[in-house]
């Protein structure tokens, strides 16, 4: 079974148009050129598709890092292994 | 966004002769000269900057050119847009698309919205059947993508859902002037939200593929993209159910403008440019995630038409 961590990685690689090599769980919004206003929209769409969690527009806009995404999902009963 | 006046053809004919000029495509110039008392110039020319009133009559690309001319060169000109073909909705939109360095670039600003739009009913009866069908596909694409867009708010989605359910889907495609109004309304709906993968594909392929205009491209991909979005998750079906839209009827409407021969001719072009499609801003605001392996869906789609 694919872990939530791997699902998130695959999703972010897709919505931010990254290569596998470019991705890391330590990335921040400033380090991802495509995490722009459209990236916020496609991230919210992708998270809902993948995890069934709906970011509010304010929540999606306030995300500043991959760690922020994991924190919110974890706080909403979507577990991420260390 | 400012309100737009909706004028009748009789209103147009009563505009003051002094200060009013008609700017139209060459094909329509003789009919315009016979129907209206104003000076007429064709798309080979431009009005003088500062022209008081311009009535522009033509297709979507021409109306976009007129809107950009007004915004960039003659801001004081009062503009009324009359579409010669339904589908683009350019007459009702604050968006104008222009080819720049080989790419289609969409400009959006309130000054691009014409002060008024009008319908010339005679034009509806002269539209060839293929163009009418492709224009219907473009109209459907605007309404459906506007309805599903993650950029739209709940209010606009309710308007879009009602429009699709009670006005657009029940209306038989014929050569009726009502299609100009439906097209304009669909365009206004998408302008308040956004479009998605259908338009991401169309805008990517349009500068590259000869013989396929915007509306034909939208018609070719509307049904495949609807199927793609439905397969990707529950969002489409959930929104349709919430707004009382029968998904089977929506599927059938999209399928009615689909031409398998066109699709098969375009598929190699789509495969070749899929990386550009997924990077296109319109694809990135699609209602479902457009993934790198998404092209496989279109390759494998079965067409039981």
């Amino acid at each position: 079974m694919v872990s939530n961590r791997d699902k998130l990685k695959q999703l972010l690689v897709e919505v931010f148009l990254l290569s596998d090599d470019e991705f890391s769980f330590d990335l921040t919004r400033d380090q991802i050129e495509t995490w722009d206003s459209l990236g916020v929209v496609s991230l919210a769409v992708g998270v809902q598709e993948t995890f069934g969690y709906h970011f509010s527009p304010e929540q999606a806009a306030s995300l500043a890092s991959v760690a922020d995404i994991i924190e919110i999902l974890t706080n909403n009963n979507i577990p991420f292994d260390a | 966004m400012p309100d737009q006046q909706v004028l009748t053809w009789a209103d147009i004919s009563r505009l003051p002769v002094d200060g009013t000029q008609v700017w139209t495509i060459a094909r329509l110039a003789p009919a315009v000269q016979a129907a209206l008392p104003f000076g007429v110039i064709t798309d080979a020319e431009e009005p003088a900057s500062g022209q008081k009133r311009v009535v522009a009559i033509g297709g979507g690309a021409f109306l976009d050119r007129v809107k950009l001319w007004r915004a960039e060169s003659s801001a004081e000109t009062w503009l009324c847009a009359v579409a010669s073909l339904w589908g683009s909705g350019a007459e009702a939109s604050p968006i104008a698309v222009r080819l720049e360095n080989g790419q289609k670039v969409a400009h959006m600003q309130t000054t691009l919205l014409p002060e008024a739009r009008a319908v010339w009913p005679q034009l509806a009866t002269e539209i060839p059947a293929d163009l009418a069908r492709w224009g219907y596909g473009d109209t459907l694409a605007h309404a459906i993508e506007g309805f599903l867009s993650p950029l739209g708010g709940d209010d606009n989605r309710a308007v879009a859902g009602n429009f699709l359910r009670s006005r657009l889907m029940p209306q038989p495609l014929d050569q009726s002037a009502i299609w100009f109004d439906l097209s304009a309304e669909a365009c206004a709906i998408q302008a308040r939200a956004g479009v998605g993968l259908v338009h991401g594909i169309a805008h990517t392929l349009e500068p590259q593929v000869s013989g396929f205009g915007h509306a034909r491209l939208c018609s070719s991909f509307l049904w495949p993209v609807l199927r793609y979005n439905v397969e990707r998750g529950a969002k489409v079906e959930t929104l349709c159910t919430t707004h009382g839209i029968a998904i089977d009827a929506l599927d059938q409407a999209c399928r009615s403008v689909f031409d398998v021969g066109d699709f098969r001719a375009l598929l190699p072009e789509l495969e070749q440019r899929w990386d550009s499609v997924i990077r296109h801003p319109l694809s990135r605001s699609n209602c479902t995630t457009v993934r790198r392996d998404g092209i496989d869906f279109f390759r494998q789609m079965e067409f039981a038409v």
Side-chain angles (χ1 to χ4, degrees):
Chain A
M1 196 172 107
V2 181
S3 69
N4 283 339
R5 201 173 166 82
D6 286 344
K7 283 185 194 173
L8 182 64
K9 175 184 174 182
Q10 189 58 40
L11 173 66
L12 298 183
V13 162
E14 292 279 2
V15 299
F16 294 138
L17 306 164
L18 303 171
S19 67
D20 283 351
D21 292 346
E22 288 174 311
F23 180 81
S24 110
F25 284 95
D26 298 326
L27 286 174
T28 64
R29 183 170 173 164
D30 293 343
Q31 294 170 303
I32 302 177
E33 190 183 348
T34 47
W35 197 338
D36 50 14
S37 55
L38 276 178
V40 169
V41 173
S42 48
L43 172 64
V45 168
V47 164
Q48 186 163 21
E49 270 173 32
T50 307
F51 298 105
Y53 179 76
H54 176 69
F55 283 123
S56 68
E58 297 76 18
Q59 206 175 24
S62 72
L63 296 168
S65 65
V66 176
D68 284 353
I69 301 170
I70 292 174
E71 183 181 351
I72 289 177
L73 293 179
T74 302
N75 290 341
N76 285 278
N77 301 317
I78 299 166
F80 281 78
D81 298 330
Chain B
M1 196 162 69
D3 288 336
Q4 185 184 48
Q5 280 184 284
V6 180
L7 303 180
T8 65
W9 189 244
D11 293 333
I12 296 293
S13 64
R14 286 194 291 265
L15 289 171
V17 172
D18 186 27
T20 302
Q21 188 169 48
V22 179
W23 190 10
T24 187
I25 54 178
R27 177 176 66 81
L28 292 177
V32 171
Q33 279 168 330
L36 293 172
F38 314 118
V40 177
I41 62 168
T42 72
D43 52 353
E45 311 164 75
E46 284 188 350
S49 177
Q51 172 69 35
K52 192 168 184 181
R53 282 177 295 275
V54 167
V55 177
I57 308 174
F62 174 69
L63 293 181
D64 280 357
R65 175 187 164 196
V66 172
K67 287 154 62 178
L68 287 162
W69 166 81
R70 196 274 294 267
E72 295 170 354
S73 304
S74 191
E76 63 272 41
T77 297
W78 178 91
L79 177 61
C80 177
V82 180
S84 61
L85 172 65
W86 51 74
S88 80
E91 70 277 17
S93 160
I95 300 167
V97 178
R98 175 167 58 191
L99 199 60
E100 296 175 4
N101 301 317
Q103 306 287 324
K104 290 195 80 177
V105 178
H107 300 266
M108 180 169 180
Q109 57 195 63
T110 55
T111 54
L112 288 172
L113 182 71
E115 280 76 14
R117 64 179 165 90
V119 170
W120 187 6
Q122 174 187 327
L123 294 177
T125 63
E126 298 170 358
I127 296 174
D130 278 347
L131 293 182
R133 182 167 57 86
W134 296 330
Y136 170 55
D138 198 7
T139 299
L140 267 176
H142 286 146
I144 294 170
E145 294 206 306
F147 170 64
L148 297 172
S149 173
L151 300 173
D154 291 343
D155 289 349
N156 190 55
R157 184 163 292 121
V159 169
N162 183 57
F163 174 73
L164 269 167
R165 183 186 66 251
S166 63
R167 300 199 55 214
L168 188 57
M169 289 166 59
Q171 181 68 35
L173 177 60
D174 55 17
Q175 291 184 305
S176 158
I178 194 173
W179 281 100
F180 287 117
D181 290 324
L182 295 173
S183 166
E185 286 185 58
C187 193
I189 284 168
Q190 68 84 17
R192 291 191 294 267
V195 283
L197 180 55
V198 175
H199 280 81
I201 292 172
H203 283 216
T204 302
L205 297 191
E206 198 175 335
Q208 313 293 336
V209 181
S210 61
F212 287 86
H214 177 83
R216 190 174 181 182
L217 287 164
C218 286
S219 297
S220 299
F221 289 101
L222 180 60
W223 183 52
V225 167
L226 177 70
R227 299 308 315 159
Y228 175 87
N229 288 331
V230 168
E231 294 267 332
R232 284 287 169 186
K235 181 172 183 179
V236 175
E237 293 196 64
T238 302
L239 287 175
C240 285
T241 301
T242 302
H243 292 274
I245 296 168
I247 188 83
D248 289 347
L250 191 66
D251 189 273
Q252 188 55 43
C254 295
R255 190 186 284 215
S256 74
V257 296
F258 178 77
D259 182 299
V260 70
D262 281 359
F263 182 84
R264 287 180 176 147
L266 290 165
L267 187 56
E269 307 288 346
L270 184 67
E271 290 174 309
Q272 189 181 337
R273 296 175 177 85
W274 185 249
D275 193 55
S276 298
V277 167
I278 64 176
R279 292 172 184 276
H280 197 286
L282 301 181
S283 306
R284 295 181 66 209
S285 60
N286 190 52
C287 65
T288 67
T289 309
V290 183
R291 295 176 184 259
R292 290 185 174 96
D293 65 2
I295 188 62
D296 293 338
F297 177 87
F298 297 98
R299 286 190 186 115
Q300 295 162 8
M301 197 172 172
E302 292 178 14
F303 300 103
V305 291

